[in-house]
Amino acid sequence: MVPFENAQRYSPSPETIAVIVANVLPLVGVIGLGWDLAALVFLYWFELGILSFWALVKAVFAGRRSEFDSDPLIGGALASKRTTIPVPFTDLGIRFSTLPVLAVAIPILTLVWFFAGVTTVGVIGPETPDIDALVMVMLSAFGIFLSEGASTLLEYFHRGGYRDHSAQTAIQGN
C-alpha cells in the first residue's frame, strides 16, 4: 500500500481535474448519449464563455498592479496608484489599475464569444440538437462551470495565486 504522503504527492491538482472534467464530458456525450455535431458545438461555445467569465473574475481580484505605459495621462496615473477597494473579511481587493483592463477586456471577450457563436453555432443553422441532448449539454456546461469555479476558488483565491497576477496575466491564463 502507498503511504499517505506519497498519495498526496501524486494526487492531481484542481486545475488538472477541471481539464479532465471539461474533456471527459464531451466524450461521454458522444459515446454514451449519442450527441451529434450540433450538441458538441453548443457545448464548446458555452465552454468558451465559461472560461472567459472565470478569467474576468481572476482579473478583477488580481493582486499585482496592471502594467501600463506610463506616458498616457489616465493609464500612467492609474498604474502609479496603489489604492485598492478592499473585499470585507478577506485580504482581497480590487486595484484601480485593473479597471481600464476590464473596460477593454470585457467588450473584447464578449465580441469573441459572440462571433465564435455566429461562426460555429450559426453555421449549423436549422440543425439544432434534440431537446434531450440540449438538456444534457446544458448540464455538462454547468458541470464545466462548477469545475472551473472550484479550480479558481481553490488555486487562485484560497492558495493565494491571485498575488502573482496582474489583470493582464490573469486574463491570459499565465
Side-chain angles (χ1 to χ4, degrees):
M1 179 150 212
V2 177
F4 182 70
E5 295 82 26
N6 289 342
Q8 276 187 322
R9 184 174 45 194
Y10 296 118
S11 65
S13 70
E15 291 169 340
T16 303
I17 293 171
V19 168
I20 290 170
V21 168
N23 288 300
V24 166
L25 287 174
L27 288 174
V28 169
V30 170
I31 294 170
L33 303 174
W35 288 359
D36 58 355
L37 177 63
L40 279 177
V41 169
F42 271 107
L43 181 62
Y44 286 128
W45 183 56
F46 289 136
E47 184 180 15
L48 176 62
I50 290 165
L51 294 175
S52 297
F53 171 80
W54 285 112
L56 289 171
V57 169
K58 289 178 181 180
V60 167
F61 298 104
R64 285 190 1 228
R65 288 185 293 160
S66 297
E67 297 95 22
F68 292 113
D69 184 11
S70 59
D71 289 339
L73 181 63
I74 295 174
L78 284 173
S80 65
K81 299 290 182 196
R82 296 182 185 266
T83 307
T84 60
I85 302 167
V87 177
F89 308 111
T90 67
D91 60 345
L92 295 172
I94 301 171
R95 295 185 170 276
F96 283 158
S97 64
T98 298
L99 300 178
V101 174
L102 293 175
V104 171
I106 290 172
I108 289 175
L109 289 175
T110 302
L111 286 174
V112 166
W113 189 70
F114 175 76
F115 284 117
V118 167
T119 58
T120 58
V121 176
V123 171
I124 293 173
E127 183 190 330
T128 59
D130 63 350
I131 192 68
D132 293 333
L134 197 54
V135 167
M136 292 308 295
V137 165
M138 294 304 292
L139 287 174
S140 297
F142 185 67
I144 292 170
F145 181 83
L146 291 178
S147 69
E148 288 295 326
S151 172
T152 298
L153 292 175
L154 184 62
E155 290 292 324
Y156 195 74
F157 292 113
H158 180 68
R159 294 190 178 155
Y162 66 92
R163 292 183 188 108
D164 300 329
H165 290 281
S166 66
Q168 292 99 329
T169 61
I171 290 172
Q172 292 172 355
N174 295 334

